[in-house]
């Protein structure tokens, strides 16, 4: 049995988990919640630094209840990128220290691929087209000849970031995504907002500005939230469907924190059903940023020998998923 300790802390959630081949042994997290405004990279990193010892100690303690000891750990995996520089560096430092102290391999994983692999693992989907929608990232990907290829992506900000920026503007606390979803459920009138799909890519900044303007113009907040979701999610669904047609794949996997949105799930589910494809979405705890996904991808990479010497373990804030050679598939 192989046991991997995974550390996630690319942005808002500091999370540590122990994973083995067939299950998540335990996970402990400490989310950073900004007092005002959005995620401040240095504040988030300070939060992670202050919480790392408690989170990891608690994980080890809980694992002991499940009859696992620190000596059982075969590797330490961490999110090497993409993410916020100060957060990445803080968590990488902890991961290096743990790997050295335990004398086990250090495994640097790509955060986006970790979202995909935990989804495939939890849902049992073999070869899906993936819609990965989180705060900073929005991409449509699929596996082809040894890599996850990015078929389409945002040309500016991620959809989660767009929702959060809009929400903050109208006075809602971070993170705004779930609050926009609640308000949208009460909306009844569709207000025209910019629908921006260019080829296989999409863009959200114009939509965010137009939504702010629509609120300033006196439209009801619920109607604007409703229209924002309908527009943005239709864009994402259109590109995902085209990617499925293009690649001839009949499975679709949703990944990333915004994937918790029921309206987005509903649109994608309808699209998949209409084309005779299967739609997969993992439990919410595996959609958002979590340590288990890092540990799980670490486990896959340890098997294929994709570990890191300490001297090559610098963080990669702009690490793209198609830079990784996928040897475990
Ligand atoms: P992640 O970076 O993958 O953990 O995702 C975080 C992002 O997901 C934030 O931008 C949140 O606002 C967004 N989010 C979380 N829940 C929802 C939801 N129900 N609807 C829309 N966005 C959400
Ligand atoms: Mg993420």
């Amino acid at each position: 049995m192989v046991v991997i300790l995974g550390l996630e802390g690319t942005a808002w959630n500091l999370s540590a988990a122990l994973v083995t081949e067939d299950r998540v042994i335990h996970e402990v997290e400490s989310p950073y919640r900004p007092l005002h405004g959005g995620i401040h990279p240095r504040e988030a990193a300070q939060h992670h630094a202050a919480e790392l010892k408690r989170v990891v100690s608690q994980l080890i303690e809980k694992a002991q209840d499940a009859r696992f000891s620190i000596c059982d750990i075969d590797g330490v995996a961490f999110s090497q990128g993409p993410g916020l520089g100060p957060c990445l560096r803080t968590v990488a430092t902890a991961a290096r220290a743990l790997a050295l102290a335990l004398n086990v391999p250090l495994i640097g994983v790509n955060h986006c691929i970790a979202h995909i692999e935990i989804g495939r693992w939890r849902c049992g989907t073999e070869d899906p087209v993936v819609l990965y929608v989180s705060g900073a990232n929005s991409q449509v990907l699929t596996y082809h000849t040894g890599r996850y290829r990015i078929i389409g992506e945002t040309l500016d900000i991620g959809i989660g970031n767009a929702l959060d920026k809009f929400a903050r503007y109208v006075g809602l606390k971070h993170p705004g995504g779930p609050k926009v979803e609640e308000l949208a459920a009460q909306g009844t009138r569709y207000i025209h907002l910019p629908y921006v799909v260019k080829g296989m890519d999409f863009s959200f900044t114009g939509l965010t500005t137009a939504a702010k303007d629509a609120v300033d113009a006196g439209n009801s907040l619920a109607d604007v939230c409703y229209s924002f979701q309908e527009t943005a999610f239709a864009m994402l669904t259109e590109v995902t469907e085209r990617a499925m047609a293009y690649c001839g794949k009949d499975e679709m996997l949703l990944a990333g924190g915004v994937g918790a949105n029921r309206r987005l799930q509903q649109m994608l589910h309808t699209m998949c059903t209409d084309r005779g494809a299967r739609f997969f979405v993992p439990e919410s705890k595996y959609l958002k940023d979590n340590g288990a996904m890092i540990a799980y991808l670490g486990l896959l990479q340890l098997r294929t020998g994709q570990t890191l010497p300490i001297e090559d373990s610098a963080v990669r804030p702009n690490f793209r998923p198609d830079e990784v050679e996928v040897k475990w598939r």
Side-chain angles (χ1 to χ4, degrees), residues 164-192:
D164 295 343
K165 276 181 197 290
F166 167 72
R168 204 147 73 227
Y169 182 78
V170 299
L172 302 169
K173 241 177 122 55
H174 185 89
K179 289 152 198 134
V180 171
E181 176 173 19
E182 268 173 46
L183 285 161
Q186 297 150 32
T188 49
R189 191 172 60 96
Y190 181 76
I191 300 157
H192 180 79

Side-chain angles (χ1 to χ4, degrees), residues 84-285:
L84 303 170
C87 298
L88 291 172
R89 286 191 291 276
T90 300
V91 176
T93 305
R96 287 183 204 109
L98 281 163
L100 285 172
L102 298 171
N103 194 25
V104 295
L106 179 67
I107 311 155
V109 315
N110 179 284
H111 175 94
C112 314
I113 298 184
H115 273 288
I116 299 174
E117 292 300 349
I118 192 130
R120 285 181 64 231
W121 185 40
R122 305 310 296 183
C123 301
T125 159
E126 188 52 39
D127 188 23
V129 165
V130 183
L131 174 62
Y132 166 44
V133 277
S134 69
N137 306 291
S138 295
Q139 291 173 331
V140 177
L141 314 100
T142 202
Y143 176 83
H144 184 69
T145 57
R147 278 171 207 262
Y148 281 105
R149 314 284 169 175
I150 302 165
I151 309 172
E153 64 185 320
T154 180
L155 296 168
D156 40 54
I157 56 175
I159 175 62
N161 195 216
L163 289 163
D164 295 343
K165 276 181 197 290
F166 167 72
R168 204 147 73 227
Y169 182 78
V170 299
L172 302 169
K173 241 177 122 55
H174 185 89
K179 289 152 198 134
V180 171
E181 176 173 19
E182 268 173 46
L183 285 161
Q186 297 150 32
T188 49
R189 191 172 60 96
Y190 181 76
I191 300 157
H192 180 79
L193 295 172
Y195 181 102
V196 189
V197 172
K198 300 186 180 191
M200 292 299 281
D201 296 326
F202 27 81
S203 146
F204 296 113
T205 47
L207 169 60
T208 308
T209 305
K212 291 176 184 173
D213 290 347
V215 173
D216 290 344
N219 291 290
S220 94
L221 182 56
D223 285 344
V224 179
C225 288
Y226 165 73
S227 308
F228 192 122
Q229 285 200 167
E230 292 304 300
T231 310
F233 297 166
M235 287 158 51
L236 293 167
T237 305
E238 180 199 325
V239 174
T240 307
E241 174 164 35
R242 201 131 28 85
M244 294 174 78
Y246 218 35
C247 304
K249 296 199 180 181
D250 58 4
E251 293 186 344
M252 196 240 128
L253 173 69
L254 184 56
V258 182
N261 189 289
R262 276 149 302 181
R263 178 59 181 142
L264 176 59
Q265 292 184 6
Q266 188 185 38
M267 277 194 199
L268 293 165
H269 186 262
T270 303
M271 177 274 283
C272 286
T273 307
D274 283 353
R275 45 182 304 112
R278 294 216 292 158
F279 173 64
F280 296 91
V281 56
E283 300 153 78
S284 290
K285 64 177 174 181

